Amino acid sequence: MGDTAAAPAGTATPPDAEAQLRSPAYLRLLVIAAVIGVPISAAAYYFLHLVNMLQSWVYADLPRALGFATAPLWWPLPMLGISGVLVGLTVQHLPGRGGHSPVDRFEPGAVPKPVELPGVLLAALASLGLGVVLGPEAPLIALGGGLAVCAVRLARRDVPQRVAAVVAAAGSFAAVSALLGSPITGAFLLMEASGLGGATLGLVLLPGLLAAGIGSLIFVGLNALTGIGPAELALPGLPQFDHPDVAQFGWALVIGVLAALVGSGIRWLATALRAHVERHTVLLTPVIGLAVAGLAIAYVAVTGHSASDVLFSGEAELSPLLQGSAGYSVGALLMLLVCKGLAYGLCLSSFRGGPVFPALYIGAAGGIALSHLPGLPMVAGVAMGIGAMCAVMLKLPLTSVMLATLLLYADGLAVMPLVIVAVVVAHVVAARFAPDQDPVISAG
């Protein structure tokens, strides 16, 4: 694929872009994207299953094997300490530093080299499998893009850089195809974050969309065959939401501002700590892990709820939180927000994983807490909280709106106007707190 100049806004697609769409070379690229989508999505499926298995073994099977009925209150301390040691050693000594720091944004960048992929995998498993408060999407994006380029360059060494970038993006699309509940959501995240735009935006992203669709089918097929599919990011069974009113639009303004303050505080904590951790990685990463464990223990001791509310990404815990929200007092929800938010910021500074799922969880918990106040139904509060927190933590407002609305099924369309207002307010207010230059993370 050749490069084309960006067309001015409002003009038609340049003729050479249309010619590329009809060219045999572009059709071959689509075939490559489709073929790559199969093994990479299968690898992503089993990666997610391995993470779930590790979490279950570490926090359920191992304590029982050692004679405990359930994991004791202090159990997260050694587990997160070990996680810190493993991640610190990986970051310090393996090529690629275990992948990008999750405090960085989703933006275009270098695809991991083959020699860096083992470090990315090890750091992700040591972080996610042992209870760190991060999600799997960033390692999947890196691994999917890296594996795709490796596969193409094994078949042909002289791959043009432009083609390699498109293939890497397709690999990333395939890897996250079903992670966010729909291939459209995962694809949209990478569309907004990829930066592969200009007049050929459609040409560049079409292979990724194809890989995402095939990847989602692979997830569905493997789940039907094995029955071991990872938890789906879906929020069924919520009360019906009819339509927004004036009071709820007022709440959208409030939630947008609150999310900007909370999210900016989390990012400030993560950025400030990272500067210190990077100077003493092997020593301080386990210390950060122990601090995260301490927050989980304090939450359990004060509220009596499970440590899993604070630990892990929140992907599997989000639906139980919403369905069991009546069992959480306002005090317990506030304690959850403090402990999860601090743990999130600590993990962003040191470990390896993605920023999406903890943001979803914290936004939902904040929405539930605020719904105890007059004029705010829980469904609206949850949707606006999810959208606003994602907008602050990801700086991807369009993706944030889509995430919040698609996760709520039938309620999503009705609540979308509120989500849009909350996201815009959060995005604009958070920009007032952001540094002039924000670091970035590769999106393939």
Side-chain angles (χ1 to χ4, degrees), residues 374-432:
L376 181 63
M378 188 186 77
V379 170
V382 166
M384 289 187 284
I386 288 174
M389 276 301 298
C390 285
V392 176
M393 300 308 298
L394 306 182
K395 268 195 171 179
L396 302 176
L398 301 180
T399 297
S400 300
V401 171
M402 178 167 283
L403 271 171
T405 52
L406 287 184
L407 293 182
L408 296 176
Y409 286 95
D411 291 332
L413 290 177
V415 81
M416 183 182 287
L418 299 174
V419 173
I420 291 172
V421 173
V423 164
V424 170
V425 171
H427 188 59
V428 172
V429 174
R432 305 285 298 181

Side-chain angles (χ1 to χ4, degrees), residues 22-127:
R22 297 190 296 267
S23 70
Y26 188 72
L27 293 178
R28 287 195 296 270
L29 184 60
L30 288 176
V31 172
I32 291 171
V35 171
I36 283 175
V38 174
I40 289 180
S41 55
Y45 178 92
Y46 285 108
F47 169 82
L48 294 172
H49 177 55
L50 180 57
V51 169
N52 290 337
M53 285 182 59
L54 281 173
Q55 291 175 350
S56 178
W57 182 79
V58 168
Y59 285 92
D61 298 341
L62 184 57
R64 284 196 295 267
L66 295 176
F68 299 102
T70 59
L73 181 64
W74 50 264
W75 189 259
L77 284 169
M79 298 302 106
L80 285 164
I82 292 170
S83 174
V85 170
L86 293 174
V87 173
L89 290 172
T90 300
V91 171
Q92 185 71 28
H93 296 293
L94 290 186
R97 298 184 60 81
H100 290 81
S101 169
V103 76
D104 297 338
R105 303 290 193 186
F106 288 103
E107 286 287 344
V111 176
K113 300 175 182 177
V115 72
E116 297 173 354
L117 294 179
V120 173
L121 178 62
L122 179 58
L125 291 176
S127 296

Side-chain angles (χ1 to χ4, degrees), residues 344-383:
Y344 183 25
L346 291 171
C347 292
L348 284 170
S349 73
S350 313
F351 290 89
R352 293 297 183 262
V356 174
F357 291 102
L360 290 172
Y361 190 92
I362 291 171
I368 295 172
L370 290 173
S371 70
H372 288 268
L373 296 173
L376 181 63
M378 188 186 77
V379 170
V382 166

Side-chain angles (χ1 to χ4, degrees), residues 178-200:
L179 182 63
L180 300 175
S182 164
I184 292 296
T185 313
F188 202 87
L189 183 149
L190 288 175
M191 283 183 190
E192 192 176 7
S194 67
L196 298 170
T200 57

